Structure formats: structure tokens, C-alpha cells
């Protein structure tokens, strides 16, 4: 099941009893805050999880259709580790 920004904003607005526009602003600001702060340090949200970045080294990639090899540049990736409470709810 796919869950997009619109769906999340609708759920926020219905649960918090606020307008859809305000819930969209809240959600976008939350995402911007997490991505901005996690670039420099670990962002931990109690009873939810931790957002952190990892740097991946430059590596060799291959197109599976043409077998052509190319270099994938180094990049930083955002990761999320769920807290034990969230994992227990899911499992």
C-alpha cells in the first residue's frame, strides 16, 4: 500500500481537527526540519525513531540491460531506525 504526502496531510487534518492547508504546511516543515538537521547530526524523536545520514563511497554500477558499467558518485543517504515501541506496534 502506497502512502503519499496527500494521504498523510489528510490524516493529520482529520485527527488534529485543523485545515488541510495547515496540516500540509506542518508536514512539509517537519520534513524540511528533519532533513536539514540530520545532515549535521542525529535527529532522535522519542518513542518514534532516529533519523541519521550515512556517506556511501564511490562505486562501480552496471546497467543490467546493456551490461554497461559506470561510476556512481559518492553521496549521503538519509536513514531511519524505528524505536522499539514502533517496532512492537508493527510486529
Amino acid at each position: 500500500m502506497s502512502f503519499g504526502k496527500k494521504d498523510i496531510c489528510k490524516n493529520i487534518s482529520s485527527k488534529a481537527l485543523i485545515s488541510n492547508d495547515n496540516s500540509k504546511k506542518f508536514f512539509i516543515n517537519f520534513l524540511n526540519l528533519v532533513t536539514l538537521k540530520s545532515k549535521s547530526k542525529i535527529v532522535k524523536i522519542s518513542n518514534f525513531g532516529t533519523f541519521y545520514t550515512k556517506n556511501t563511497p564511490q562505486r562501480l554500477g552496471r546497467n543490467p540491460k546493456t551490461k554497461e558499467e559506470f561510476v556512481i558518485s559518492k553521496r549521503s543517504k538519509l536513514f531511519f531506525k524505528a524505536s522499539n515501541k514502533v517496532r512492537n506496534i508493527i510486529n
Side-chain angles (χ1 to χ4, degrees), residues 28-77:
I28 290 172
N29 286 333
F30 172 75
L31 290 178
N32 289 338
L33 178 72
V34 168
T35 54
L36 184 69
K37 294 294 183 182
S38 64
K39 288 181 181 179
S40 61
K41 55 187 170 184
I42 295 174
V43 177
K44 184 174 183 178
I45 301 173
S46 297
N47 297 325
F48 182 69
T50 306
F51 294 92
Y52 59 97
T53 57
K54 279 187 183 177
N55 294 321
T56 59
Q58 181 176 333
R59 60 192 170 97
L60 191 63
R62 187 177 304 120
N63 183 336
K65 191 172 185 178
T66 63
K67 308 292 187 217
E68 179 185 354
E69 292 185 344
F70 57 94
V71 176
I72 299 173
S73 62
K74 65 178 184 176
R75 51 187 81 194
S76 61
K77 294 182 179 181

Side-chain angles (χ1 to χ4, degrees), residues 1 7-8 10 14-16 18 25 32 35 39 45 51 54 65 76 79 82-84 86 91:
M1 178 180 170
D7 301 323
I8 294 170
K10 281 182 185 177
S14 66
K15 302 271 183 183
I18 58 174
K25 288 178 187 176
N32 289 338
T35 54
K39 288 181 181 179
I45 301 173
F51 294 92
K54 279 187 183 177
K65 191 172 185 178
S76 61
F79 288 90
S83 70
N84 286 334
V86 171
N91 294 329

